[in-house]
Amino acid sequence: MAIEFKNVSFRYPNGYMANENLNLIIREGEQVAIVGQNGAGKTTAVKLMNGLHKPCEGEVLIDGTDTKTKTAAQIARTVGYVFQNPDDQIFNPDVRSEVAYMPTKMKLSETEIKERVKWAMELTDIKKYRKENPLDIPYPIRKFVTIASVLAAKPKYIILDEPTAGQDRHGIEI
């Protein structure tokens, strides 16, 4: 099982070629870092992995399934994506609702939702913020809210786009 890019190219509507002829295999359980200069196409590549972008050429396969045949919402059950900027991801009125969003959409039992939310909030050390509006808490904590919201869905693959941006030493160590 893997995320696989086969001769993938992606061009933005303005004509900018962000990825060209990209070939990559990330196997289940591997930890991979994609590094490069600003504008090198890193974020574009990871958005191809979870269906937010569809390739102009080539195939992106998630466990053998072409992302062109699935919606981003369908892919999100398998490939969780934590945005670089948490404010682009957060939309619920309180932290608990944000973390519970995907498990609720997955139609899990209320017991399972509560267990996953508790687990994800404890793991990311955000439990004390559960009743707060996520947009009212500090930026580094908002990052952990988005990480917890993806963890609570328990996807097979997790993509973290710039996970340490805006974090202090304690946040990076968590």
Side-chain angles (χ1 to χ4, degrees):
M1 300 289 148
I3 297 174
E4 187 172 0
F5 284 60
K6 291 184 175 182
N7 300 311
V8 172
S9 295
F10 182 83
R11 182 183 309 273
Y12 283 96
N14 67 3
Y16 178 73
M17 180 68 79
N19 298 123
E20 187 171 13
N21 198 34
L22 184 58
N23 290 284
L24 172 71
I25 298 174
I26 302 172
R27 300 197 191 296
E28 183 178 347
E30 283 186 321
Q31 296 179 14
V32 176
I34 301 174
V35 296
Q37 298 175 6
N38 287 342
K42 302 178 302 290
T43 294
T44 302
V46 297
K47 286 184 176 182
L48 285 160
M49 291 179 197
N50 77 337
L52 288 175
H53 291 323
K54 304 292 185 188
C56 299
E57 296 176 28
E59 296 177 304
V60 177
L61 305 173
I62 307 299
D63 295 340
T65 300
D66 192 333
T67 60
K68 290 179 185 174
T69 67
K70 302 286 183 184
T71 66
Q74 290 170 320
I75 296 168
R77 292 176 177 263
T78 306
V79 182
Y81 178 62
V82 177
F83 286 54
Q84 180 175 344
N85 181 351
D87 296 347
D88 293 341
Q89 189 168 345
I90 292 171
F91 59 91
N92 280 286
D94 60 78
V95 168
R96 191 213 171 274
S97 298
E98 187 68 33
V99 177
Y101 180 79
M102 277 300 290
T104 301
K105 285 294 181 187
M106 295 165 68
K107 299 184 191 300
L108 300 176
S109 71
E110 192 57 40
T111 301
E112 181 69 14
I113 293 168
K114 285 180 184 177
E115 287 174 9
R116 287 185 182 207
V117 168
K118 180 181 178 201
W119 168 77
M121 289 198 305
E122 286 176 355
L123 188 64
T124 55
D125 198 26
I126 62 168
K127 193 173 179 182
K128 67 182 175 184
Y129 299 100
R130 69 186 172 280
K131 294 180 182 178
E132 301 286 329
N133 181 323
L135 298 176
D136 291 340
I137 59 179
Y139 180 88
I141 305 303
R142 290 197 304 271
K143 286 282 271 202
F144 283 112
V145 170
T146 59
I147 292 169
S149 70
V150 169
L151 290 173
K154 294 192 176 182
K156 187 178 206 175
Y157 305 100
I158 298 174
I159 298 168
L160 305 169
D161 193 350
E162 301 279 350
T164 60
Q167 295 295 323
D168 61 11
R169 183 175 174 184
H170 173 72
I172 292 169
E173 290 172 354
I174 289 179

